[in-house]
Amino acid sequence: MTNKGVLNMTSRWDRLGNSLLQSFIEYETPRLVKVHNVYLGLVIRVCQILVFSYVISYAILYERGYQEFAQVESSATVKLKGTSRSHIPTHENATTILPEWRHLYSRIWDVADYVVPPAENGAFFITTNVVITPNQTQGSCAEDPAIKRAKCKTDEQCIKDKYLVFGHGPMTGRCVPSDRSQRTKVCEVEAWCPIERDGLPFGMTKPLMDHVDRYTVFIKNSIAFPFFGPQYRRNNVIPGPKPTIYHPVRRPLGQIFWLGDVISLSGGNFTQLSLKGGVISISIQWNCDLDYDFDKYCLPHYEFRILDTGWNFRHAQFHETGRRTLFKAYGLRFVILVDGLAGKFSLRNTILNVGNGLALLGMTTFVGEFFLLYFAKEKKNVVAKKYDYITKRRNAIKVPTLDEAEVATLNQNADVFTLKSDLP
């Protein structure tokens, strides 16, 4: 490599070093350009008002952005009271009930009879209609003719040890007369005998038990917000030490509910739900602002909804080993749902939301710049005022100030390029 090449290489590295050094120590400041434009001013002010209104009205006040929040922790216990009587008169046309079984339906039902199971987690069940099959024992008996493919004419149609869909047990391989009708023959099965006669006592006219709508349920709900401290806990027995009967207008804080009122407030028909059963939710809402008096303003709000129609299950009362009475219970299952949220002032959340609002206000400047550079009539003048360009020799050293003679000398016989200038 020649001496001239070495010198050029050294010169290039020097220029690169100087350029990096100058870039490191340079400080740029934007040029302030004031534009008197009515439309642009209106756009900027409208955007600022919208952002300011959103931050203050919605983010901070409506959404309570100045608070931190915590979910409620709760427990609910219930206590039911009420008694019903069931009776099937001898003249009543109850075709699904054998005459010798009618006396089983004439009885008094109290809490121990109609609440099955006695305790549930966040729910309770009340029996309103029931089918009773007494004194079942394990053995062999005729299948219910209502079961698909249970009817037969010969033993060959009843395959031994095979199960029928929705049947009560495996077939024995015999075709026997039905206990429902001697003219009908059905397959014999190994099961709890006699087979249940699945039919409502009064059909779809009325439920078995009366006055169920006059039952009462006392719901005690205890809640706490341990995130904010042990002092934020209470229950729904408001006001005073004794519970009161709930009324949506006169006593909205009551804790004792008539079941008929609960069904009515949920938009249901009590008689229709009592026939086949249903699922009803009792929702208790605790939305509390802990910046105010906790005992005075943290109060429950009750809502009722029908979640499903039709609910039944079977349970048995065993008298001894191998003998039982089967109950198919229809009724109302009430599910207690407790939800709540508490908020308390937080300086950290307040600063974060105010900072977010200021950042959004900065977006209005971007909107104004976009409108000014692309839509305003003065856009060419603005660009000329906002950005300043100079021409320099490619291998020239950047200097703070150049007069016209020096610029002309540097531009002779050289390629030029443009860059943003720090000069006014």
Side-chain angles (χ1 to χ4, degrees):
M1 182 179 292
T2 63
N3 293 335
K4 185 177 181 180
V6 172
L7 292 175
N8 290 336
M9 182 65 69
T10 304
S11 177
R12 290 179 182 178
W13 282 108
D14 291 341
R15 289 198 300 271
L16 179 61
N18 291 335
S19 178
L20 291 175
L21 178 62
Q22 291 178 7
S23 298
F24 180 76
I25 63 175
E26 280 181 348
Y27 171 74
E28 293 184 357
T29 181
R31 175 177 292 179
L32 179 62
V33 179
K34 290 186 177 181
V35 179
H36 295 276
N37 186 298
V38 176
Y39 299 106
L40 177 61
L42 288 176
V43 169
I44 295 297
R45 296 298 175 253
V46 168
C47 290
Q48 290 175 343
I49 291 173
L50 290 176
V51 170
F52 185 80
S53 301
Y54 166 78
V55 172
I56 298 299
S57 302
Y58 182 80
I60 294 182
L61 296 181
Y62 181 77
E63 290 290 335
R64 293 193 289 175
Y66 58 92
Q67 294 182 327
E68 60 181 344
F69 298 92
Q71 292 286 338
V72 68
E73 295 183 8
S74 71
S75 67
T77 57
V78 300
K79 186 175 183 180
L80 288 137
K81 288 187 177 181
T83 304
S84 288
R85 182 175 70 99
S86 63
H87 177 64
I88 300 179
T90 55
H91 63 273
E92 189 73 33
N93 184 23
T95 56
T96 60
I97 302 175
L98 296 175
E100 59 268 26
W101 292 357
R102 286 184 176 234
H103 70 280
L104 299 172
Y105 292 88
S106 298
R107 56 177 291 180
I108 298 297
W109 302 80
D110 63 9
V111 175
D113 298 315
Y114 59 72
V115 178
V116 183
E120 288 188 73
N121 185 21
F124 59 94
F125 176 83
I126 296 177
T127 305
T128 57
N129 216 354
V130 67
V131 177
I132 304 175
T133 307
N135 295 320
Q136 284 187 321
T137 57
Q138 293 192 15
S140 299
C141 52
E143 179 62 280
D144 185 353
I147 300 297
K148 187 177 180 180
R149 297 182 181 178
K151 295 180 181 181
C152 61
K153 293 182 179 180
T154 63
D155 292 346
E156 286 74 16
Q157 293 177 278
C158 304
I159 302 174
K160 183 177 175 59
D161 296 330
K162 184 178 180 181
Y163 289 83
L164 295 171
V165 179
F166 305 118
H168 292 84
M171 291 183 286
T172 63
R174 298 176 56 199
C175 184
V176 298
S178 172
D179 58 354
R180 315 290 170 90
S181 173
Q182 292 298 320
R183 297 180 180 180
T184 304
K185 298 185 73 175
V186 295
C187 292
E188 186 182 58
V189 295
E190 295 179 25
W192 285 93
C193 302
I195 298 296
E196 176 188 61
R197 292 174 177 260
D198 191 3
L200 297 175
F202 296 108
M204 296 300 293
T205 58
K206 63 178 181 178
L208 177 67
M209 301 178 188
D210 60 2
H211 298 101
V212 179
D213 59 328
R214 303 309 297 168
Y215 291 177
T216 61
V217 55
F218 167 54
I219 302 177
K220 185 176 182 180
N221 179 212
S222 300
I223 60 104
F225 298 99
F227 179 81
F228 297 110
Q231 69 273 23
Y232 295 108
R233 61 181 181 180
R234 67 171 310 161
N235 58 47
N236 65 329
V237 183
I238 307 167
K242 293 184 178 181
T244 57
I245 296 177
Y246 174 84
H247 188 276
V249 178
R250 295 192 296 270
R251 291 180 298 276
L253 300 178
Q255 310 84 31
I256 301 176
F257 303 87
W258 298 103
L259 294 190
D261 291 344
V262 172
I263 300 299
S264 177
L265 291 170
S266 64
N269 182 284
F270 194 90
T271 301
Q272 294 299 320
L273 285 174
S274 298
L275 289 172
K276 285 287 190 176
V279 182
I280 300 95
S281 72
I282 301 176
S283 177
I284 307 176
Q285 298 284 337
W286 295 84
N287 293 317
C288 305
D289 190 339
L290 303 185
D291 292 330
Y292 296 92
D293 185 87
F294 179 67
D295 293 327
K296 186 176 180 180
Y297 293 102
C298 188
L299 305 174
H301 176 71
Y302 300 95
E303 292 182 355
F304 312 94
R305 294 184 181 88
I306 295 177
L307 302 181
D308 195 11
T309 56
W311 179 266
N312 69 80
F313 63 92
R314 291 174 174 86
H315 64 96
Q317 178 185 352
F318 286 86
H319 308 290
E320 56 193 44
T321 304
R323 188 169 72 91
R324 72 181 188 183
T325 295
L326 179 66
F327 298 88
K328 183 179 182 182
Y330 296 84
L332 305 174
R333 188 171 190 266
F334 295 87
V335 181
I336 302 173
L337 306 174
V338 182
D339 190 20
L341 192 69
K344 194 175 183 181
F345 176 77
S346 169
L347 181 61
R348 178 179 63 88
N349 287 5
T350 303
I351 293 175
L352 287 176
N353 279 282
V354 171
N356 291 337
L358 294 176
L360 287 175
L361 282 175
M363 292 293 295
T364 60
T365 303
F366 173 78
V367 174
E369 292 278 348
F370 182 80
F371 180 86
L372 185 62
L373 296 177
Y374 292 98
F375 298 102
K377 293 180 180 180
E378 304 90 345
K379 60 183 180 180
K380 293 183 178 180
N381 294 333
V382 170
V383 171
K385 293 289 185 181
K386 190 173 180 63
Y387 301 101
D388 194 10
Y389 296 88
I390 64 172
T391 59
K392 299 177 112 179
R393 187 182 300 275
R394 180 175 296 171
N395 58 357
I397 300 175
K398 187 176 180 181
V399 294
T401 306
L402 294 175
D403 57 23
E404 294 181 358
E406 291 173 328
V407 171
T409 302
L410 290 173
N411 285 337
Q412 289 179 358
N413 301 320
D415 295 331
V416 297
F417 68 99
T418 60
L419 74 160
K420 187 175 178 181
S421 173
D422 296 324
L423 299 177

